[in-house]
Amino acid sequence: MEYRALGRTGVQVSRLCFGTMSFGGDADEATSRALFARCRDAGINFFDCADVYAGGKSEQLLGKFMAGARDELVIATKAHFGTGPAPTSRGSTRYHLVRAVEASLKRLNTDRIDILYLHHFDANTALDDSLKSLELLLQQGKISYPAASNFSAWQTMRALGIAERRGYAPLACLQPMYNLAKRQAEVEILPMAIEMGLGVCSYSPLAGGLLTGKYTAAAAGGFSGAEGRLVSNTMYQARYGDRLNHEIAAGLGALARELGHHPASVAVAWVASHPGITAPILGARNLEQLEPSLKALDVPMTAELRERISKLSPTPPPAHDRSEEKR
Ligand SMILES: NC(=O)c1ccc[n+]([C@@H]2O[C@H](COP(=O)([O-])OP(=O)(O)OC[C@H]3O[C@@H](n4cnc5c(N)ncnc54)[C@H](OP(=O)(O)O)[C@@H]3O)[C@@H](O)[C@H]2O)c1
């Protein structure tokens, strides 16, 4: 396993992070334990979780499995989305964040969270106040690094500006979505992260399973031919269910066959090869699914190969129109 500094924190994290969204949900306890153990065997020291995954079961299982190796691991979790029916139990308010972190610490059975992400930008709460809450939690030793997920570039830059003015610890890393079918991050987020020295742990490298080669396009334009999120989950169907995404998956499948690798290995390797990416976050519901993703670092991803793969999907338009002109 390769390790790399997480942005300017200097903390050495594995080049692959494992996401525990399946723990206690798609993967039962025994399977989750086996997934955790296989990741540790492969040298992964970096695990991603969230308070809302499997209604808190994911944090509980991760806490159980990591006991005994706590100080070898970098544990990230998230707060923002609703953890209960009360209208106060959601958002990036100081009210909720303080309680959410206390609850995560209990479920994880640990004394600190290494990385705490705001799971989403909160337009209803003053960003200054959310950041002040993170700083308070950091001063109390309950979190080590503040971070943000699903933030746009301007939201991130505003957060960095506030932290600098107020003397708060800056955001250490970002967690955007990034895969061959969803490349928005290339336009602003990844260049900004490189410029500002932010770590980037991107999620959904397989586009929720689309890029594994297991789906075939149904006549109606949806997906069929396999079990998984793209046939069982309407949010993922809406995100990836159009014909263009099927064509991208088919193109990647053909290229992977030519290279002699599993499409999932190539898809994860492509994400990891962007210079702004610290570690893609892998997702799997069982060991069989995990193996090809773990093999991603074996794919010899040259600049030429990255370019060939990138041509399989549309390059997102640049951040401003003038940059389309050659200078
Ligand atoms: N910050 C956020 O908002 C956010 C959002 C999403 C995820 N995340 C994090 O990122 C992690 C990874 O995200 P993700 O699960 O969306 O990643 P992904 O790599 O896009 O999708 C993983 C899913 O693809 C399918 N799959 C994986 N390998 C396969 C294989 N070899 N063969 C067939 N199917 C395979 C499985 O789902 P099926 O079996 O259902 O097909 C698996 O759960 C999560 O665990 C979580 O920690 C964060």
Side-chain angles (χ1 to χ4, degrees), residues 31-55:
T31 306
S32 304
R33 187 184 287 280
L35 286 165
F36 180 84
R38 179 67 189 97
C39 287
R40 293 293 292 135
D41 278 354
I44 290 178
N45 70 349
F46 193 13
F47 291 87
D48 182 75
C49 199
D51 56 357
V52 289
Y53 293 166

Side-chain angles (χ1 to χ4, degrees), residues 19-22 26 48-49 53 78 119 149-150 175 203-209 212 214-215 227-229 236 262 264 281-285 288-290 292-293:
T20 63
M21 192 163 75
S22 59
D26 288 337
D48 182 75
C49 199
Y53 293 166
K78 315 183 192 81
H119 208 151
S149 179
N150 300 308
Q175 189 175 134
Y203 68 85
S204 293
L206 301 178
T212 61
K214 70 177 169 179
Y215 294 104
E227 283 183 9
R229 262 182 251 172
Y236 281 87
H262 192 288
I281 309 177
L282 310 181
R285 65 164 79 212
E288 194 191 352
Q289 287 191 349
L290 177 62
S293 289

